[in-house]
Amino acid sequence: MQIESVALKGFNLIEASAGTGKTYTLTSLYLRLLLEQGHSPDSILVVTYTKAATAELKTRIRQRLLEARTLFEGGVSTDPLLLAVYEKLQDRERAHKRLDLAIASFDRAAIFTIHGFCQRVLSEQAFETGQAFQTELVPDQGDRLQQIADDFWRREVAGLPPQFLQAFRDWIATPEALLSRLRPALGKPYLGVKAAQWPESFQQLEQQALLLQ
């Protein structure tokens, strides 16, 4: 199916590996939404994974709009999609104005990373979502999780009786090892924690530790 004939309503799944034209397809759909349906850059949402990919998409989409404007101003193009859209439009003067406005207001284009878009929604809809106005999304929580593991180790593990501490460290030697053991369970609130029966005193706990040595 040619991209100029893809329906602009409903859902469309684009499957492609690297280097097969995903960016060209996205910029083509963007141009069609702009010219055929009259959407503005701030009403067409584009999300991707990384900041680098976001920057590339912004550059490529804007360049496509500039190429389209050149065609509408009497220039020449070899892009089959641009030519097909140009021939399809009846009110080309109006389409030309849409391109001018879109290029002039492209700084407001809604092109984000996924977490960047989520953060924008949370900040703009703070009352509805019950979030703080200064909510910050952290893509990588590794440093924060390690700090929590270090704090737990300092407060709960380091002060254990010597023999039990040694037995514990034979099993889990460092805060990094503790975090490594717990990491598979993070982000799974449906998991339940079921502990063994806790001894009545540290003395009994030490005896159990000695039996494990």
Side-chain angles (χ1 to χ4, degrees):
M1 180 181 292
Q2 299 297 319
I3 190 63
E4 60 266 23
S5 61
V6 171
L8 296 178
K9 294 183 179 180
F11 294 92
N12 290 293
L13 175 64
I14 302 172
E15 296 184 270
S17 56
T20 55
K22 292 190 297 297
T23 302
Y24 177 84
T25 300
L26 288 172
T27 58
S28 298
L29 291 173
Y30 194 100
L31 182 65
R32 289 189 58 205
L33 287 168
L34 186 77
L35 295 179
E36 295 178 24
Q37 295 197 345
H39 293 291
S40 59
D42 59 350
S43 67
I44 304 173
L45 174 62
V46 182
V47 292
T48 186
Y49 290 100
T50 66
K51 291 182 179 179
T54 301
E56 180 186 4
L57 270 177
K58 286 183 178 179
T59 301
R60 297 284 289 275
I61 290 173
R62 187 176 185 277
Q63 182 60 38
R64 201 76 185 281
L65 299 185
L66 291 171
E67 293 171 0
R69 185 171 67 176
T70 298
L71 177 62
F72 277 79
E73 290 176 346
V76 178
S77 175
T78 58
D79 187 321
L81 184 280
L82 288 181
L83 295 173
V85 171
Y86 183 80
E87 293 298 328
K88 185 188 302 184
L89 294 171
Q90 296 181 352
D91 192 343
R92 293 172 185 169
E93 182 178 354
R94 185 178 182 184
H96 189 185
K97 291 180 180 179
R98 284 176 180 169
L99 282 169
D100 284 338
L101 288 172
I103 293 169
S105 62
F106 197 71
D107 286 338
R108 296 184 300 176
I111 304 173
F112 305 101
T113 59
I114 295 172
H115 66 270
F117 172 69
C118 292
Q119 183 169 351
R120 178 179 176 178
V121 171
L122 289 175
S123 62
E124 290 183 351
Q125 309 294 328
F127 288 114
E128 288 80 358
T129 59
Q131 301 293 324
F133 284 102
Q134 302 300 322
T135 297
E136 178 184 359
L137 296 182
V138 181
D140 183 6
Q141 300 187 67
D143 291 342
R144 187 168 298 179
L145 290 173
Q146 188 60 58
Q147 181 181 355
I148 294 171
D150 292 342
D151 290 343
F152 177 84
W153 189 277
R154 183 173 58 254
R155 291 197 311 265
E156 305 294 340
V157 178
L160 292 173
Q163 290 180 316
F164 179 69
L165 176 60
Q166 184 57 51
F168 183 85
R169 296 194 65 177
D170 288 342
W171 179 45
I172 302 177
T174 63
E176 290 76 14
L178 175 63
L179 178 59
S180 178
R181 291 288 189 98
L182 294 175
R183 192 177 290 277
L186 299 178
K188 299 178 180 179
Y190 52 84
L191 293 180
V193 178
K194 185 177 181 181
Q197 185 175 359
W198 192 256
E200 295 181 357
S201 65
F202 273 124
Q203 288 72 24
Q204 293 183 10
L205 207 55
E206 285 186 291
Q207 291 177 1
Q208 290 185 9
L210 289 172
L211 292 176
L212 292 174
Q213 292 181 339

